[in-house]
Amino acid sequence: MKTLKLAFAALALAPFAAPVPAAAQIVLSNPWKLVRAGEARKVGKSDLQVTAVGDWNRATERQTKESENWTQNGIGLDDLGFYAAVKKGEALFHQRDKKKDPLPKFDPAMLPTDIVEWFENSARNALGSAVFEVGAVRPAKLAGADGVEMDFSYATEGDNLERKGTARAAVIGQKLYLISFDAPKIHYYDEGLPSALAIMNTARIVK
Amino acid sequence: MSMLHRAVAGLLSCALLASPLAAQKAAVPPKPLPSAAGYKPQDKLEEGLWFEMDEQERLLKQSKFLVTDPGLNAYVKGVLCRTVGQERCSATRLYIVRTPYFNASMAPNGTTIVYTGLLLRMRNEAELAAVLGHEYTHFEQRHTLRLFKDIRAKTDALSWLSFIPIPYVGMLSQIALIGGIYAFSRDMEREADAGSLNELARAGYDPMQASAIWEQLGAEQDATAKVRGHKSQKDKNGGMFATHPKSTERMQTLREKAAAFALAEPGATRAAEYRAALKDWWPTLIDDQIKLQDFGGTEYLLATLAGPDPAGWTPELLYARGELYRSRGQAGDFEQAVAAYQAAIEAGQRLGGGAIPETWRGLGLAQLRLGQTAAGKAALRDYLAKKPNADDALLLSSMAQGA
């Protein structure tokens, strides 16, 4: 989620968001790596493997150890987030202030509905937004395991764009795996969703 | 105020707001007052501030956070106008924003912002009137302008202009920083306290309602900090809960001054009117609060809303208590949640109005977490019978299958 990053690392993201002058690009290391269509890779060196459907740009900066963010048009226009192997007691997103602003912790005992609520609570607090609604929720498979798929919509104060998203999650071997796609409601969500779902379908656990 | 913290993080300039202002002496405001009809900015600085605020207001009108419900807007604006009078009220434009924190602000150009978190925390109309009267005094006495003059005097000329547009933080946080409840100095707070009592008494509200609010706010921040194990944020900004004079002294002063108003007839609290106006929004507001995952603060808030009488625990408040415990999910929490949901259903039957359908959803999910599979599934089926088109109906029915 692009705006999650904005919320907790506002200024750090600025180099991605703002056009960089040509001269400056020479000295900056490239924060993006290409993921070619058909390439299978382990998310953040975890045991979650996904295969790219279409070409994507992978951010080399990571929110948490076993997570990755991919985009096709730029992180503000579409964001495919992979969150692998979240263990008991861990938060879904990076916590800016663990003490004063803690994010809810994962518990393998969570029911499918609890995962949905936990995702929503994590996102609301990381984004600093109460304008976040979970819509339809349905049973789904992720990496062969029974899980849940949910649609959601939200806005943040930062850019006032209406965004839509779809996330799929499952608990596998006491650990949480979640893949979330979100993009502005105008054009980008509908455009990016099919390949995002296709990538979710390729997810598997490899040892 | 996590939004405030979020905005403050990484913003060196915000330190300017906090510390030096505490020492500021209140100046006698020149005439005319900003509340007067046709008031125009009196100098270049005020003109600049208005220019910025007009731009922020333009953005605010397009905000996805704006609560546009005409009924709720008319009610809150009506309370403001009743409190300060129709004429002075016309200098303001009211906006309600969906943000689950205690805050309200009035910008120098009359832009008035009320957070939904404020509406959730008020127990009656008189309390809301007290906060609005308090903020109105800050506005009429040009306290925000004085803050900016102070900042400008202590830093490079016009540097405040560059700190207004904070990238990525958003205009609501900016306004909250600039003119919100936590921004002002102690002298300004005293002035606003006194002003709000005058407004309340003149409007026929019970002035005694004013002191309870600020006490409640401080105690809630203590409760949040206690559970999270950090220092309470209530003394952070020097103004609202400054240690000298102690906030308890401030509450005492408010109570004494309120008692000194010899009203011809007892002031109104208009609690029933307040509840009726908030009725449709209440489930959303409490949901936003619970999702903050602020267990200590929310538990304190629910107890405050219920009041000392056990009968104050309505089916809605009991449901909220169940959600709070179920959402935390630590050892013993699901037992507490089940008890609260069951009490909500019982209270709903006793009072005749019933409990909201989500009570059965929460009950079933908490029972499932406790391993009470049959009871949990039965409760989920009860919920689905009451709300067959719920967003998560498919998932719940898959969980409710079997005995």
Side-chain angles (χ1 to χ4, degrees), chain A residues 112 115 138-149 168-172, chain B residues 395:
Chain A
I115 303 286
R138 50 202 167 259
K141 296 248 185 211
L142 183 67
D146 284 334
V148 58
E149 185 175 282
R168 208 180 279 179
V171 179
I172 305 168
Chain B
L395 190 63

Side-chain angles (χ1 to χ4, degrees), chain B residues 304-388:
Chain B
T304 310
L305 292 173
D309 182 355
W313 283 92
T314 60
E316 290 78 18
L317 284 171
L318 287 164
Y319 159 75
R321 186 175 163 82
E323 290 287 279
L324 176 67
Y325 277 88
R326 186 175 66 82
S327 177
R328 184 169 70 165
Q330 290 179 2
D333 282 350
F334 294 111
E335 287 87 345
Q336 292 274 357
V338 167
Y341 293 125
Q342 284 171 339
I345 292 168
E346 191 275 320
Q349 283 166 347
R350 183 162 36 84
L351 300 171
I356 62 170
E358 280 70 20
T359 310
W360 282 268
R361 180 184 182 276
L363 175 63
L365 295 174
Q367 285 173 326
L368 287 181
R369 289 295 295 268
L370 287 172
Q372 301 167 7
T373 312
K377 288 182 174 185
L380 290 186
R381 285 195 291 268
D382 284 345
Y383 171 62
L384 289 168
K386 290 171 201 296
K387 241 186 157 172

Side-chain angles (χ1 to χ4, degrees), chain A residues 99-100 114 125 157 160, chain B residues 3 6 64 228-229 369:
Chain A
K99 201 97 181 158
K100 289 177 193 152
D114 294 334
N125 285 290
E157 273 192 57
N160 207 32
Chain B
M3 276 190 49
R6 202 156 267 132
K64 301 283 182 283
R228 289 185 173 167
R369 289 295 295 268

